């Protein structure tokens, strides 16, 4: 019988099926960070249990850690306690742990792929909704709650209902100046934040096939922002090329065997999805958000939708959202003055994002009215951008690099945008208060962020491109 | 063992906003605890309290008008972050049931793993519930988990709601998934041998 990519991997991981269809699913990899794991480890201990398969678990702090002064202990005692708790749990149970300032530390969704820990065909979970990132490598990867982290620690399994399947095809070719982030924000703006709830999405089509591995990670990362359980892309030569030689990738004869198996991980031609959606790459413009959820996005030259275009049940929420942002329905946002720029996060904190940012700011200067936080997704990214001399380009333009971590994406450390200030952010959520209480977030890709950083206003990056 | 859940009849707290994300339910800066206790104090923190820390009188949790064990919310409730702290905050505050026309997936699972029941109703049921509750805050809803029904006692409108048999059994008996998974460990080892 013909199967989708999702079904092929899912079915291989079913341990048991209950009479009502609930599945006991085997998990190949569990990633733990400091925020959503302490209660799971505590639960494990109170039941007198140990991790069932410690070799399948990798731990690292990323949410709380400062992006300056990582050489010193964390100053905030509550953050420090949470980070220390993860280290203690990892040590107690013999789990792989990349602590703050360790050369392999960084945002878990950046570190997993760059070390070859995430591989095609795997099932992978983490107590973080952006675990969907790893689906880019042809894995079933999704975010779970702390109870489910505890289940995985205890039994390497979780209880799940099989999600419905959706294929999103993006055909054609992207226009210059349009990035993977724009593809994702465009799709989410069309699907809305709940449009893929209940589904596991496979991205396909010419525009997806033509992306680099890092661009795929950005696209799959944002799957959760339309409610999807996860997103995935069939592995191909791009995936294999990326994985080859990485620390945890198979080596030698094992590599050849693994690739042979991974090549079978694709949706069969006549496989049936529960839902199919088609978009055209040439319709996609550099995107920005204007509201307080990632579905409220538009092309950078567009105007904010008029109140009349919103269905009646949603108008209270729509008005609340625009009031929070200090925007009016019907107005454009291009040219609006901004206060902060954040480049980083599990969405856009990789080397290609820094290359893109640098391509715009090279030979220009940071705008005086803007505070800019450039936060590499991992120490490996930081090392590479120094090797490529990107740090020099950024310095010459008046920018400073910070140290890796989740940073201003969710402002659990000191990187908080003040109330009422506007931030153009390459992160994933523009929710009220996400970047600090009262902060106003405009989500965008690295090129739009760079254009804003040097002009001080919302600017179409194509105007600054050669 | 979690608290068992069967039939709940209660007045309700209405929150007619759509797309309420888990960052609103419990902002990230309150996620630094290492236990599950105390999150109810910061439920809807930035809507509930002004910047000076005083309660915002316009927010529903600060109005004595509405009380109860049932939270009635607009569609797509619980979107965004997977933080289970959102379920701990809602449960910690004292809610046992959340009624909406649509829930985000991870939030739904997290709720049920904490003895908190998300009940999906039709948009019509939801609109009517908001109407009757705001017209008369003493109006009650009854959620009957064994029968899988929800009733608006002001209008007698009753609907069936879906829940899978496994989770229903867990909620009614106060069991959790780990109890089940541990009892099924031999199957896990068998599965691993087949790899």
């Amino acid at each position: 019988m013909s199967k989708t990519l999702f079904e092929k991997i899912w079915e291989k991981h079913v341990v048991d099926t209950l009479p009502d269809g609930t599945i006991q699913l085997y998990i190949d990899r569990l990633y733990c960070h400091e925020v959503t794991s302490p209660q799971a480890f505590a639960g494990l201990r109170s039941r007198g249990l140990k991790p069932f398969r410690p070799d399948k678990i990798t731990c690292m702090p990323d949410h709380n850690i400062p992006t300056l002064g990582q050489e010193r202990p964390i100053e905030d005692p509550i953050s420090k306690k949470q980070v220390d708790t993860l280290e203690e749990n990892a040590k107690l149970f013999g789990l792989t742990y990349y602590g703050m300032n360790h050369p392999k530390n960084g945002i878990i969704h950046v570190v997993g792929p760059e070390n070859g820990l995430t591989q095609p065909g795997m099932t992978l979970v983490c107590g973080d909704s952006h675990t969907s990132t790893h689906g880019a490598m042809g894995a079933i990867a999704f975010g779970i709650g702390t109870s489910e982290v505890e289940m995985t620690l205890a039994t390497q399994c979780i209880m799940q209902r099989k999600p419905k399947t959706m294929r999103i095809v993006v055909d054609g070719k992207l226009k210059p100046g349009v990035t993977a982030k724009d593809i994702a924000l465009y799709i989410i703006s069309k699907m809305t934040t709940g449009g893929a709830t209940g589904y596991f999405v496979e991205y396909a089509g010419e525009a997806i096939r033509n992306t680099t591995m890092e661009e795929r990670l950005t696209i799959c990362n944002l799957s959760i922002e339309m409610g999807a359980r996860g997103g995935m892309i069939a592995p191909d030569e791009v995936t294999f090329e990326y994985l080859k030689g990485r620390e945890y990738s198979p080596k030698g004869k094992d590599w050849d065997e693994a690739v042979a198996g991974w090549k079978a991980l694709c949706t069969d031609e006549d496989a049936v999805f529960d839902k199919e959606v088609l978009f055209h790459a040439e319709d996609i413009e550099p995107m920005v958000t204007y509201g307080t959820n990632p579905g409220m996005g538009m092309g950078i030259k567009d105007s904010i939708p008029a109140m009349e275009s919103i269905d009646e049940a949603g108008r209270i929420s729509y008005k609340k959202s625009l009031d929070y942002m200090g925007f009016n329905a019907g107005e454009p946002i291009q040219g609006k003055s901004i206060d902060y720029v954040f480049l980083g996060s599990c969405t856009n904190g990789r080397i290609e994002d820094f290359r893109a940012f640098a391509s715009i700011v090279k030979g220009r200067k940071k705008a005086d009215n803007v505070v800019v936080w450039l936060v590499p997704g991992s120490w490996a990214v930081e090392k590479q951008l120094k090797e490529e001399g990107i740090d020099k380009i950024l310095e010459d333009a008046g920018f400073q690099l910070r140290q890796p971590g989740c940073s201003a994406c969710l402002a659990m450390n000191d990187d908080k945008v003040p109330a009422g200030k506007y931030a153009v952010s390459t992160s994933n959520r523009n929710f009220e208060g996400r970047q600090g209480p009262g902060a106003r977030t405009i989500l965008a890709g690295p090129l739009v962020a760079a254009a804003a950083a040097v002009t001080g206003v919302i600017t179409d990056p194509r105007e600054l491109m050669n | 063992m979690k608290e068992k859940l069967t039939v709940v009849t209660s007045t309700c707290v209405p929150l007619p906003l759509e797309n309420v994300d888990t960052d609103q339910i419990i902002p990230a800066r309150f996620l630094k605890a290492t236990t599950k206790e105390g999150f109810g104090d910061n439920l809807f923190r930035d809507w509930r309290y002004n910047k000076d820390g005083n309660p915002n009188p316009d927010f529903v949790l600060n109005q004595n008008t509405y009380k109860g064990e049932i939270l009635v919310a607009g569609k797509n409730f619980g979107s965004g972050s997977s933080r289970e702290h959102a379920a701990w905050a809602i449960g910690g505050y004292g809610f046992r049931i959340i009624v909406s026309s649509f829930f985000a997936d991870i939030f739904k699972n997290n709720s049920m793993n904490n003895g908190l029941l998300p009940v999906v109703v039709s948009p019509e049921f939801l609109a009517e519930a908001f109407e009757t509750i705001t017209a008369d805050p003493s109006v009650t809803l009854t959620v009957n988990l064994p029968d899988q029904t929800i009733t608006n006692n002001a209008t007698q409108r009753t609907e069936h709601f879906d829940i899978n048999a496994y989770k229903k059994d867990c909620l009614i008996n106060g069991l959790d998934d780990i109890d089940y998974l541990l009892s099924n460990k031999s199957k896990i080892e068998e599965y691993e041998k087949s790899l």
Side-chain angles (χ1 to χ4, degrees):
Chain A
M1 207 188 105
S2 300
K3 286 178 186 168
T4 65
L5 166 64
F6 173 82
E7 286 162 344
K8 286 180 186 179
I9 302 173
W10 179 271
E11 286 170 12
K12 239 188 128 187
H13 289 83
V14 173
V15 173
D16 200 10
T17 306
L18 272 54
D20 74 342
T22 300
I23 302 280
Q24 182 180 344
L25 190 73
Y26 192 82
I27 300 301
D28 295 318
R29 281 259 190 276
L30 168 67
Y31 294 149
C32 291
H33 64 80
E34 78 278 23
V35 179
T36 56
S37 67
Q39 295 86 351
F41 281 110
L44 197 70
R45 282 198 303 270
S46 75
R47 291 173 202 251
L49 299 170
K50 289 189 293 191
F52 181 59
R53 294 291 176 249
D55 57 322
K56 294 180 189 287
I57 301 164
T58 307
C59 307
M60 70 199 72
D62 54 9
H63 282 59
N64 271 282
I65 60 181
T67 55
L68 292 175
Q70 288 191 11
E71 313 72 39
R72 301 186 295 275
I74 299 175
E75 280 173 24
D76 173 359
I78 314 172
S79 288
K80 184 173 187 308
K81 188 182 177 205
Q82 209 170 42
V83 170
D84 289 348
T85 302
L86 179 61
E87 182 169 6
E88 284 158 21
N89 282 318
K91 274 193 182 147
L92 176 67
F93 294 123
L95 308 176
T96 303
Y97 178 74
Y98 302 144
M100 184 173 77
N101 225 15
H102 184 288
K104 288 199 180 292
N105 181 261
I107 306 170
I108 214 158
H109 308 311
V110 175
V111 172
E114 77 188 4
N115 285 287
L117 280 160
T118 304
Q119 294 170 17
M122 281 183 167
T123 48
L124 190 156
V125 295
C126 172
D128 190 290
S129 60
H130 294 110
T131 308
S132 59
T133 312
H134 306 268
M137 313 197 74
I140 290 181
F142 54 91
I144 55 174
T146 299
S147 296
E148 291 167 316
V149 172
E150 188 180 340
M151 288 171 215
T152 313
L153 286 169
T155 68
Q156 209 58 36
C157 289
I158 51 174
M159 305 301 289
Q160 289 288 302
R161 305 291 295 181
K162 188 179 173 188
K164 290 179 278 186
T165 56
M166 181 189 301
R167 176 160 57 190
I168 295 180
V169 172
V170 185
D171 70 7
K173 289 187 171 54
L174 289 176
K175 293 190 288 202
V178 176
T179 67
K181 179 66 163 287
D182 301 311
I183 300 178
L185 286 177
Y186 177 83
I187 292 174
I188 301 161
S189 75
K190 299 295 175 193
M191 299 293 295
T192 76
T193 53
T197 300
Y199 291 88
F200 213 100
V201 172
E202 180 181 344
Y203 299 95
E206 185 190 355
I208 301 293
R209 239 345 93 215
N210 285 339
T211 51
T212 65
M213 194 64 242
E214 293 199 354
E215 290 172 327
R216 293 178 188 185
L217 291 163
T218 298
I219 293 168
C220 288
N221 170 276
L222 289 161
S223 304
I224 181 68
E225 306 311 336
M226 53 179 170
R229 202 75 182 84
M232 63 199 309
I233 294 171
D236 59 12
E237 289 305 325
V238 172
T239 324
F240 310 147
E241 188 54 40
Y242 177 91
L243 273 173
K244 198 169 185 182
R246 294 191 187 256
E247 183 178 353
Y248 287 92
S249 298
K251 306 276 175 343
K253 194 169 146 271
D254 291 344
W255 170 260
D256 298 333
E257 276 174 22
V259 171
W262 294 341
K263 283 184 174 164
L265 295 175
C266 58
T267 290
D268 295 328
E269 214 158 285
D270 42 359
V272 179
F273 288 82
D274 293 307
K275 189 169 178 178
E276 296 248 23
V277 185
L278 173 66
F279 296 110
H280 305 289
E282 57 273 20
D283 293 342
I284 306 175
E285 298 285 317
M287 295 288 292
V288 286
T289 62
Y290 53 85
T292 56
N293 73 56
M296 300 173 82
M298 64 183 188
I300 194 160
K301 293 192 180 306
D302 292 345
S303 295
I304 297 170
M307 187 59 77
E308 301 75 58
S309 68
I310 307 299
D311 75 64
E312 224 168 296
R315 285 186 191 173
I316 300 176
S317 307
Y318 188 67
K319 183 172 184 312
K320 186 175 186 303
S321 182
L322 294 188
D323 287 349
Y324 180 87
M325 290 302 293
F327 291 153
N328 298 307
E331 68 176 356
I333 74 166
Q334 199 182 6
K336 278 194 185 286
S337 182
I338 56 109
D339 310 291
Y340 283 74
V341 169
F342 171 54
L343 175 69
S345 86
C346 56
T347 311
N348 282 124
R350 300 181 182 80
I351 189 66
E352 290 180 7
D353 302 310
F354 280 81
R355 287 181 194 142
F357 189 93
S359 74
I360 296 280
V361 305
K362 188 175 183 176
R364 296 191 168 90
K365 289 283 178 201
K366 183 183 88 64
D368 290 338
N369 61 317
V370 184
V371 174
V372 181
W373 292 328
L374 307 179
V375 183
S378 69
W379 282 109
V381 171
E382 198 254 11
K383 186 165 173 265
Q384 169 122 22
L385 67 86
K386 284 187 170 163
E387 280 169 12
E388 294 184 15
I390 292 173
D391 57 329
K392 291 279 174 293
I393 297 172
L394 299 173
E395 263 170 44
D396 290 347
F399 299 99
Q400 274 177 328
L401 274 179
R402 296 171 84 94
Q403 295 169 321
C406 297
S407 181
C409 175
L410 82 170
M412 279 191 79
N413 64 0
D414 290 337
D415 306 343
K416 290 177 172 59
V417 175
K421 299 291 184 190
Y422 290 97
V424 173
S425 179
T426 65
S427 54
N428 39 59
R429 290 188 172 135
N430 49 350
F431 296 150
E432 284 184 34
R434 173 79 177 182
Q435 298 193 286
R440 293 160 160 169
T441 302
I442 296 160
L443 296 176
L447 295 176
V448 173
V454 291
T455 61
V457 298
I458 306 280
T459 302
D460 188 332
R462 291 171 297 194
E463 291 166 13
L464 304 181
M465 288 167 72
N466 302 323
Chain B
M1 281 285 274
K2 312 232 185 270
E3 206 179 332
K4 297 177 183 183
L5 201 150
T6 50
V7 180
V8 174
T9 296
S10 173
T11 52
C12 306
V13 176
L15 188 68
L17 293 172
E18 297 185 348
N19 304 316
V20 174
D21 58 78
T22 53
D23 273 79
Q24 305 320 310
I25 298 171
I26 183 87
R29 63 187 188 280
F30 299 109
L31 305 185
K32 299 187 185 191
T34 52
T35 67
K36 296 182 185 179
E37 283 75 45
F39 289 103
D41 296 342
N42 291 312
L43 174 65
F44 297 119
R45 175 78 201 197
D46 291 339
W47 290 345
R48 196 168 146 197
Y49 296 96
N50 293 326
K51 276 178 209 136
D52 59 11
N54 290 318
N56 167 12
D58 297 334
F59 189 63
V60 66
L61 292 188
N62 296 322
Q63 297 162 350
N64 277 329
T65 329
Y66 302 106
K67 296 211 173 308
E69 293 184 310
I70 302 177
L71 176 66
V72 184
K75 79 170 178 199
N76 197 24
F77 187 81
S79 58
S81 159
S82 61
R83 59 189 69 167
E84 195 160 316
H85 314 66
W88 299 335
I90 294 171
Y93 184 84
F95 291 114
R96 303 208 65 202
I97 311 269
I98 313 164
V99 176
S100 180
S101 56
F102 195 83
F103 289 94
D105 277 337
I106 306 177
F107 177 77
K108 198 162 41 168
N109 284 349
N110 287 344
S111 296
M112 290 194 286
N113 284 334
N114 287 280
L116 183 66
L117 177 66
V119 176
V120 181
V121 296
S122 66
E124 296 74 30
F125 187 102
L126 186 67
E128 187 187 79
F130 281 135
E131 228 166 84
T132 51
I133 294 162
T134 44
D136 177 4
S138 70
V139 163
T140 58
L141 300 184
T142 297
V143 173
N144 184 320
L145 177 56
D147 290 350
Q148 293 179 229
T149 58
I150 178 166
T151 301
N152 182 333
N153 295 310
T155 61
Q156 295 310 310
R157 183 196 278 260
T158 296
E159 276 189 5
H160 174 88
F161 64 86
D162 283 335
I163 181 170
N164 64 72
Y166 167 75
K167 269 294 165 206
K168 178 176 168 180
D169 188 58
C170 284
L171 283 163
I172 289 175
N173 296 302
L175 298 172
D176 69 23
D177 288 359
I178 297 188
D179 300 322
Y180 176 80
L181 284 164
L182 290 172
S183 73
N184 214 21
K185 221 163 186 174
S186 61
K187 284 216 170 132
I188 306 173
E189 279 161 350
E190 228 172 88
Y191 169 86
E192 286 180 327
K193 276 186 202 133
S194 76
L195 293 176

